[in-house]
Amino acid sequence: MKEHFLNLGKQPIANKFLYEYEIENEYFYNLSVCINLDNFLVSLCNFVPPEQMFNNEYVYHSSNSITMKKHFADISKEIKAKINPKRILEIGSNDGVFIKNFDKNQTVCVEPCGNFAKITEEAGYTTYNEFATPTLFSKLKDSYGGFDIIFSANCMCHIQNIYSTFEGICSLLWNDGIFIMEDPSLLHTLQNNAYDQFYDEHAHIFSLIAISNIAKQFDLCVYDAEKLTVHGASNRIYISKTYKNKTERLQKLLQEELNFGITYFETYRKFAKNVEKSRIQLQELLKTLKGEHVVGYGATSKSTTIYNYCGIGPDLLPYIIDTTPDKQGKLSPGTHIPVIKYEENWWKNNKYAFLGAWNYLDEIKNKEGTFINNGGKFITHVPTVQII
Ligand code: DWN
């Protein structure tokens, strides 16, 4: 049984940065979130057609961040040392930030965004420019038989039919195969009021409890998990085809979720109230600082939810700076704040920067010493609305 608990209003495609002439045809949908009380899977109530989001114009490059490059180099090293796989499948390979750490002959990539599939294909990696559907899974089964590792980072949460995907993964794993997935953590989202993790692409935000329940349904076994700091906070979950005892760290993380109340509807009701409070506080803060030169730092997908839910447009935030060329010179989705190129001296005209990319706070603080030393301050809404 599904219960609705959060309404974030009318929202555009979070990553569809656009030109002025595209405004009149901009796509909107109603963003609301519900929980399935049978398995505790938290999902959007209405999904957006996948082709609206994942197409040849997708703009998010994983390799853009030093943090993410290192993150994927580290896990690749670990997989090689501990498992030494013969054949790896990556679902959602983006620009190859993970897979390029492996030999081209042992890998297969799946990437629905044509512009990104082209990057790995041109680099010599076998790439299927398709969505992860049952049809693709049977094609992969016919061509390769199976895989010892299936890896998917920040992609399972994008896949609307999570059940057929688990079924497909189960069919592609060798008996001793391991599926490793990492995605934003529901526990962190709720604990830190990070409601901006909800947007069109994030069809689900997973708890370990929900993933354990879904895996069980397909005779898969969640046996290990670790907490990661990337993307705010994520879980890396290890799933095997054969039964394995739960590691101690997984048991601890599951207990943490239970203690927080992940399986109680009241927890979600409370979260929704905090989200509403956060909206009022952020609106008030930005209104108070109007005229004080506040800039947006990082044109993230997450920030699309914030700006549209809180009604923040160019009157409160005249522009956003971002390092991604594909976003620069465009307007932010829905509230149409200009996105401009990141320049070394951006801080000269700005006293405050609202952190759209709050998940990279450490990386940004390291990089922006001059802004901070000149009295510049960051603003965030996570875990509460505040000037840092
Ligand atoms: O799952 C998803 C993930 C992994 O990332 C996707 N649904 C889309 C995307 O979400 P996001 O856009 O919220 O991701 P990030 O990684 O928080 O985006 C960072 C943005 O901030 C990029 O546009 C780059 C920009 N940035 C910047 O301008 N200066 C980032 C850093 C660290 C910087 O110093």
Side-chain angles (χ1 to χ4, degrees):
M1 191 185 57
K2 286 188 184 170
E3 281 283 351
H4 163 267
F5 63 90
L6 180 66
N7 191 352
L8 293 166
K10 195 176 139 198
Q11 293 278 347
I13 299 295
N15 256 324
K16 180 77 186 96
F17 293 82
L18 70 177
Y19 293 109
E20 202 150 344
Y21 71 84
E22 294 174 294
I23 290 178
E24 69 177 312
N25 292 322
E26 197 170 10
Y27 180 96
F28 286 92
Y29 69 102
N30 187 58
L31 175 57
S32 56
V33 190
C34 54
I35 178 162
N36 180 337
L37 292 171
D38 299 323
N39 60 7
F40 306 107
L41 176 64
V42 167
S43 313
L44 303 192
C45 304
N46 313 299
F47 295 136
V48 166
E51 298 75 15
Q52 287 278 356
M53 304 175 276
F54 307 112
N55 47 44
N56 293 344
E57 287 154 25
Y58 195 66
V59 288
Y60 178 75
H61 280 258
S62 302
S63 299
N64 250 1
S65 138
I66 306 162
T67 311
M68 294 315 293
K69 269 166 83 173
K70 180 175 178 325
H71 171 80
F72 287 115
D74 289 349
I75 177 65
S76 304
K77 222 183 199 171
E78 203 178 311
I79 291 174
K80 280 183 198 166
K82 288 194 183 152
I83 306 171
N84 192 20
K86 285 187 212 56
R87 196 175 286 285
I88 307 162
L89 170 69
E90 184 181 13
I91 303 177
S93 46
N94 195 265
D95 58 9
V97 67
F98 165 78
I99 212 75
K100 70 173 185 217
N101 296 293
F102 293 89
D103 192 300
K104 290 173 187 128
N105 300 319
Q106 46 166 184
T107 59
V108 177
C109 307
V110 173
E111 174 51 60
C113 302
N115 50 341
F116 283 98
K118 202 167 155 216
I119 299 176
T120 46
E121 187 72 60
E122 283 179 357
Y125 289 88
T126 304
T127 307
Y128 286 77
N129 178 205
E130 290 180 45
F131 286 99
T133 60
T135 316
L136 175 67
F137 288 128
S138 46
K139 200 155 54 175
L140 292 171
K141 181 87 189 153
D142 290 346
S143 305
Y144 303 98
F147 296 85
D148 357 74
I149 289 286
I150 301 181
F151 185 83
S152 186
N154 302 304
C155 178
M156 289 299 282
C157 68
H158 293 172
I159 301 180
Q160 298 172 357
N161 194 342
I162 194 74
Y163 302 102
S164 66
T165 307
F166 263 84
E167 195 175 15
I169 285 169
C170 184
S171 73
L172 287 177
L173 276 180
W174 294 126
N175 274 347
D176 58 352
I178 310 280
F179 170 43
I180 305 173
M181 57 181 273
E182 35 178 277
D183 291 280
S185 145
L186 177 68
L187 180 64
H188 177 273
T189 301
L190 299 176
Q191 280 175 329
N192 291 283
N193 221 23
Y195 65 88
D196 50 334
Q197 288 289 10
F198 294 110
Y199 53 91
D200 53 350
E201 291 182 18
H202 285 177
H204 321 278
I205 297 291
F206 300 125
S207 61
L208 292 167
I209 293 175
I211 290 298
S212 301
N213 287 333
I214 296 167
K216 212 186 289 166
Q217 204 179 321
F218 297 96
D219 288 330
L220 291 166
C221 169
V222 171
Y223 68 94
D224 190 17
E226 58 186 309
K227 220 188 237 181
L228 307 170
T229 53
V230 294
H231 291 295
S234 301
N235 288 315
R236 179 178 291 147
I237 310 178
Y238 295 83
I239 303 171
S240 60
K241 198 154 167 175
T242 44
Y243 180 80
K244 285 180 194 272
N245 286 330
K246 286 189 182 75
T247 60
E248 218 169 281
R249 64 180 179 177
L250 169 63
Q251 292 180 44
K252 266 195 196 149
L253 292 173
L254 286 168
Q255 194 56 50
E256 216 182 304
E257 289 189 352
L258 285 171
N259 293 347
F260 185 74
I262 287 277
T263 56
Y264 289 105
F265 189 65
E266 188 49 33
T267 305
Y268 299 87
R269 244 200 289 257
K270 220 156 91 190
F271 170 70
K273 279 193 192 140
N274 288 338
V275 171
E276 177 61 32
K277 264 189 225 153
S278 174
R279 160 161 76 172
I280 296 165
Q281 287 167 355
L282 185 60
Q283 284 168 335
E284 277 172 4
L285 178 62
L286 291 181
K287 277 180 194 156
T288 315
L289 295 177
K290 205 169 164 174
E292 294 275 355
H293 306 285
V294 188
V295 65
Y297 195 110
T300 56
S301 328
K302 295 182 291 293
S303 62
T304 296
T305 295
I306 305 172
Y307 298 147
N308 286 274
Y309 175 63
C310 301
I312 297 166
D315 55 327
L316 293 178
L317 210 59
Y319 60 93
I320 304 168
I321 49 169
D322 195 283
T323 51
T324 315
D326 290 341
K327 297 180 185 176
Q328 296 159 0
K330 294 186 181 168
L331 302 170
S332 71
T335 64
H336 309 142
I337 305 170
V339 179
I340 66 161
K341 187 173 171 207
Y342 175 87
E343 305 276 5
E344 292 282 307
N345 62 353
W346 68 272
W347 54 271
K348 280 202 166 154
N349 300 322
N350 297 291
K351 242 161 111 177
Y352 296 95
F354 174 72
L355 279 171
W358 55 266
N359 43 315
Y360 292 107
L361 178 60
D362 291 342
E363 181 175 332
I364 293 171
K365 272 204 295 231
N366 277 341
K367 196 162 110 183
E368 302 301 350
T370 323
F371 170 62
I372 296 166
N373 293 337
N374 278 283
K377 301 256 185 246
F378 288 109
I379 299 170
T380 186
H381 73 293
V382 175
T384 52
V385 173
Q386 58 189 289
I387 296 174
I388 302 172

